[in-house]
Amino acid sequence: MRYRLILLIPVLVMAGAGCKKNSDDEKEPTCRISRITDVLTGLSHTVTYNTDGNYQAVKREDGKHTISFDYAGNTIISQIFDANNKLTRKATMVLNSKGMVWFQMGELFDASGNITNNWSYTYEYNGEQLIESTYNIIGTIPGITSYTWSGGDNTEVTDNIGRTTYYEYYPDKADQQGNYWNLRMLYLGIDQRLITRTKSLFKGFTGYDQFTYEFDSKGYITSMSEDGQLRYTLQYACN
């Protein structure tokens, strides 16, 4: 398999005869993914959030893998720990004024805590639409990737040697937290919604890797399949 590289909260104010309901009673609950199960491995992760609704931790239920997220001003730091609570991977992300990641630095660590590899990305946007990313690693030529948008969706990605990958979407489904990209990147400690925000739900790559979803009665994704094979099931917590 090849890889390339939301919530509506309607506030209803209804007037009754001689009284007005509290607007807090009229808000739809906010639902976020609380548990992800990888059907192929049988492993599940619990997902928690801070008071702002941002990722706080993703913990494998057997205790052998944890991702933590820390926030300071416009900077997010995610760290991935192994079964021995040793740091294995770190990502530092800096947000622009629109809350999108404009700089990202990644680091890998050995068992002694030494950095074995590092790299960085810089991102350029037109509003909230990613139009260019630059990949940098010491000793190599920077790699520039360009992004083409149509109707609010990122439909083409062209790498630094001119190869173009075409993306497909479900035109009748709005993007949401449980899409393919968000799940894949979350396991790397990246909130993909802070890099790419699309209007529609991601369907797959033209010519290969197609993703299908199942939904609950409220419209939240409960499972994702890849080329017909069930990959993930999702559970939610609402408040």
Side-chain angles (χ1 to χ4, degrees), residues 21-39:
K21 293 184 179 180
N22 189 321
S23 62
D24 290 339
D25 296 334
E26 301 298 335
K27 292 181 179 180
E28 290 290 336
T30 299
C31 298
R32 300 182 179 91
I33 293 172
S34 60
R35 190 170 190 254
I36 305 170
T37 298
D38 185 326
V39 175

Side-chain angles (χ1 to χ4, degrees), residues 215-231:
F215 305 84
D216 64 15
S217 60
K218 295 181 180 180
Y220 292 104
I221 295 171
T222 56
S223 69
M224 184 198 77
S225 298
E226 181 179 356
D227 293 333
Q229 183 174 31
L230 183 62
R231 288 296 311 276

Side-chain angles (χ1 to χ4, degrees), residues 76-232:
I76 304 171
I77 297 177
S78 70
Q79 299 182 94
I80 300 179
F81 300 89
D82 65 13
N84 298 313
N85 203 33
K86 297 280 190 179
L87 178 64
T88 61
R89 187 184 184 105
K90 179 179 179 180
T92 302
M93 295 155 281
V94 183
L95 308 181
N96 64 19
S97 60
K98 292 185 177 294
M100 309 296 287
V101 176
W102 76 267
F103 175 79
Q104 177 193 151
M105 181 175 67
E107 297 170 295
L108 298 180
F109 299 84
D110 62 18
S112 299
N114 301 309
I115 296 174
T116 59
N117 195 8
N118 60 10
W119 63 91
S120 69
Y121 284 92
T122 55
Y123 301 95
E124 296 182 21
Y125 298 86
N126 178 13
E128 292 186 351
Q129 293 183 349
L130 177 65
I131 57 174
E132 185 175 282
S133 65
T134 302
Y135 172 75
N136 287 283
I137 189 168
I138 294 175
T140 65
I141 298 174
I144 297 175
T145 300
S146 61
Y147 303 81
T148 300
W149 293 72
S150 177
D153 295 318
N154 174 206
T155 55
E156 300 178 24
V157 177
T158 303
D159 66 18
N160 61 314
I161 61 173
R163 297 174 300 186
T164 298
T165 301
Y166 299 91
Y167 293 175
E168 298 177 359
Y169 297 83
Y170 291 98
D172 59 337
K173 301 290 185 183
D175 185 39
Q176 58 174 286
Q177 186 186 9
N179 78 25
Y180 159 76
W181 281 119
N182 292 338
L183 295 180
R184 181 192 169 206
M185 298 306 293
L186 181 58
Y187 284 112
L188 297 177
I190 306 296
D191 187 346
Q192 184 64 22
R193 299 169 298 175
L194 302 181
I195 299 174
T196 306
R197 294 177 183 169
T198 61
K199 175 183 176 182
S200 306
L201 182 62
F202 183 72
K203 182 179 181 181
F205 307 97
T206 300
Y208 63 97
D209 288 353
Q210 295 290 298
F211 302 94
T212 55
Y213 307 88
E214 292 186 356
F215 305 84
D216 64 15
S217 60
K218 295 181 180 180
Y220 292 104
I221 295 171
T222 56
S223 69
M224 184 198 77
S225 298
E226 181 179 356
D227 293 333
Q229 183 174 31
L230 183 62
R231 288 296 311 276
Y232 297 103

Side-chain angles (χ1 to χ4, degrees), residues 38-57:
D38 185 326
V39 175
L40 297 183
T41 65
L43 297 172
S44 295
H45 288 74
T46 58
V47 185
T48 56
Y49 303 84
N50 62 18
T51 54
D52 294 322
N54 299 316
Y55 290 119
Q56 182 178 57

